[in-house]
PDB file of all heavy atoms in Angstrom:
ATOM      1  N   GLN C 305     106.199 136.917  94.111  1.00  0.00           N
ATOM      2  CA  GLN C 305     105.070 136.993  93.248  1.00  0.00           C
ATOM      3  C   GLN C 305     104.955 135.678  92.294  1.00  0.00           C
ATOM      4  O   GLN C 305     103.913 135.107  91.969  1.00  0.00           O
ATOM      5  CB  GLN C 305     105.031 138.287  92.432  1.00  0.00           C
ATOM      6  CG  GLN C 305     105.016 139.484  93.333  1.00  0.00           C
ATOM      7  CD  GLN C 305     103.708 139.616  94.179  1.00  0.00           C
ATOM      8  OE1 GLN C 305     103.812 139.177  95.248  1.00  0.00           O
ATOM      9  NE2 GLN C 305     102.689 140.001  93.616  1.00  0.00           N
ATOM     10  N   ILE C 309     102.134 132.831  91.889  1.00  0.00           N
ATOM     11  CA  ILE C 309     101.548 132.348  90.626  1.00  0.00           C
ATOM     12  C   ILE C 309     101.742 130.831  90.436  1.00  0.00           C
ATOM     13  O   ILE C 309     100.825 130.102  90.126  1.00  0.00           O
ATOM     14  CB  ILE C 309     102.132 133.062  89.420  1.00  0.00           C
ATOM     15  CG1 ILE C 309     101.786 134.540  89.323  1.00  0.00           C
ATOM     16  CG2 ILE C 309     101.998 132.337  88.052  1.00  0.00           C
ATOM     17  CD1 ILE C 309     102.282 135.218  88.171  1.00  0.00           C
ATOM     18  N   GLY C 312      99.136 129.033  92.109  1.00  0.00           N
ATOM     19  CA  GLY C 312      97.746 128.949  91.534  1.00  0.00           C
ATOM     20  C   GLY C 312      97.152 130.257  91.614  1.00  0.00           C
ATOM     21  O   GLY C 312      95.949 130.479  91.045  1.00  0.00           O
ATOM     22  N   SER C 313      97.703 131.420  92.089  1.00  0.00           N
ATOM     23  CA  SER C 313      97.104 132.752  92.253  1.00  0.00           C
ATOM     24  C   SER C 313      97.457 133.442  90.934  1.00  0.00           C
ATOM     25  O   SER C 313      98.487 134.280  90.860  1.00  0.00           O
ATOM     26  CB  SER C 313      97.578 133.405  93.544  1.00  0.00           C
ATOM     27  OG  SER C 313      97.083 134.739  93.408  1.00  0.00           O
ATOM     28  N   TYR C 314      96.772 133.164  89.926  1.00  0.00           N
ATOM     29  CA  TYR C 314      97.148 133.786  88.595  1.00  0.00           C
ATOM     30  C   TYR C 314      96.765 135.270  88.397  1.00  0.00           C
ATOM     31  O   TYR C 314      97.066 135.792  87.423  1.00  0.00           O
ATOM     32  CB  TYR C 314      96.332 132.905  87.491  1.00  0.00           C
ATOM     33  CG  TYR C 314      96.743 131.525  87.519  1.00  0.00           C
ATOM     34  CD1 TYR C 314      95.767 130.499  87.906  1.00  0.00           C
ATOM     35  CD2 TYR C 314      97.983 131.033  87.189  1.00  0.00           C
ATOM     36  CE1 TYR C 314      96.066 129.238  87.992  1.00  0.00           C
ATOM     37  CE2 TYR C 314      98.360 129.688  87.249  1.00  0.00           C
ATOM     38  CZ  TYR C 314      97.356 128.699  87.625  1.00  0.00           C
ATOM     39  OH  TYR C 314      97.728 127.420  87.760  1.00  0.00           O
ATOM     40  N   SER C 315      96.056 135.793  89.400  1.00  0.00           N
ATOM     41  CA  SER C 315      95.765 137.225  89.348  1.00  0.00           C
ATOM     42  C   SER C 315      96.804 138.067  89.901  1.00  0.00           C
ATOM     43  O   SER C 315      96.719 139.278  90.063  1.00  0.00           O
ATOM     44  CB  SER C 315      94.340 137.493  90.096  1.00  0.00           C
ATOM     45  OG  SER C 315      94.517 137.121  91.350  1.00  0.00           O
ATOM     46  N   THR C 316      97.908 137.538  90.382  1.00  0.00           N
ATOM     47  CA  THR C 316      99.018 138.136  91.101  1.00  0.00           C
ATOM     48  C   THR C 316      99.802 139.104  90.084  1.00  0.00           C
ATOM     49  O   THR C 316      99.934 138.714  88.897  1.00  0.00           O
ATOM     50  CB  THR C 316     100.094 137.237  91.639  1.00  0.00           C
ATOM     51  OG1 THR C 316      99.405 136.351  92.624  1.00  0.00           O
ATOM     52  CG2 THR C 316     101.140 137.957  92.387  1.00  0.00           C
ATOM     53  N   ARG C 317     100.080 140.318  90.479  1.00  0.00           N
ATOM     54  CA  ARG C 317     100.822 141.293  89.755  1.00  0.00           C
ATOM     55  C   ARG C 317     101.965 141.899  90.482  1.00  0.00           C
ATOM     56  O   ARG C 317     101.968 141.884  91.662  1.00  0.00           O
ATOM     57  CB  ARG C 317      99.890 142.332  89.040  1.00  0.00           C
ATOM     58  CG  ARG C 317      98.628 141.800  88.331  1.00  0.00           C
ATOM     59  CD  ARG C 317      99.312 141.273  86.999  1.00  0.00           C
ATOM     60  NE  ARG C 317      98.189 140.899  86.129  1.00  0.00           N
ATOM     61  CZ  ARG C 317      97.703 139.590  86.079  1.00  0.00           C
ATOM     62  NH1 ARG C 317      98.051 138.772  86.938  1.00  0.00           N
ATOM     63  NH2 ARG C 317      96.628 139.321  85.249  1.00  0.00           N
ATOM     64  N   ALA C 337     101.938 137.070  83.377  1.00  0.00           N
ATOM     65  CA  ALA C 337     100.878 136.723  84.268  1.00  0.00           C
ATOM     66  C   ALA C 337      99.665 136.795  83.621  1.00  0.00           C
ATOM     67  O   ALA C 337      98.699 135.955  83.821  1.00  0.00           O
ATOM     68  CB  ALA C 337     101.065 137.467  85.542  1.00  0.00           C
ATOM     69  N   GLU C 341      97.228 133.925  82.874  1.00  0.00           N
ATOM     70  CA  GLU C 341      95.780 133.852  83.381  1.00  0.00           C
ATOM     71  C   GLU C 341      94.797 133.705  82.230  1.00  0.00           C
ATOM     72  O   GLU C 341      93.968 132.958  82.299  1.00  0.00           O
ATOM     73  CB  GLU C 341      95.466 135.252  84.027  1.00  0.00           C
ATOM     74  CG  GLU C 341      94.129 135.323  84.688  1.00  0.00           C
ATOM     75  CD  GLU C 341      93.907 136.527  85.468  1.00  0.00           C
ATOM     76  OE1 GLU C 341      94.659 137.490  85.386  1.00  0.00           O
ATOM     77  OE2 GLU C 341      92.853 136.781  86.288  1.00  0.00           O
TER      78      GLU C 341
END
Side-chain angles (χ1 to χ4, degrees):
Q305 299 302 97
I309 288 182
S313 180
Y314 301 109
S315 60
T316 302
R317 299 292 183 272
E341 185 178 13

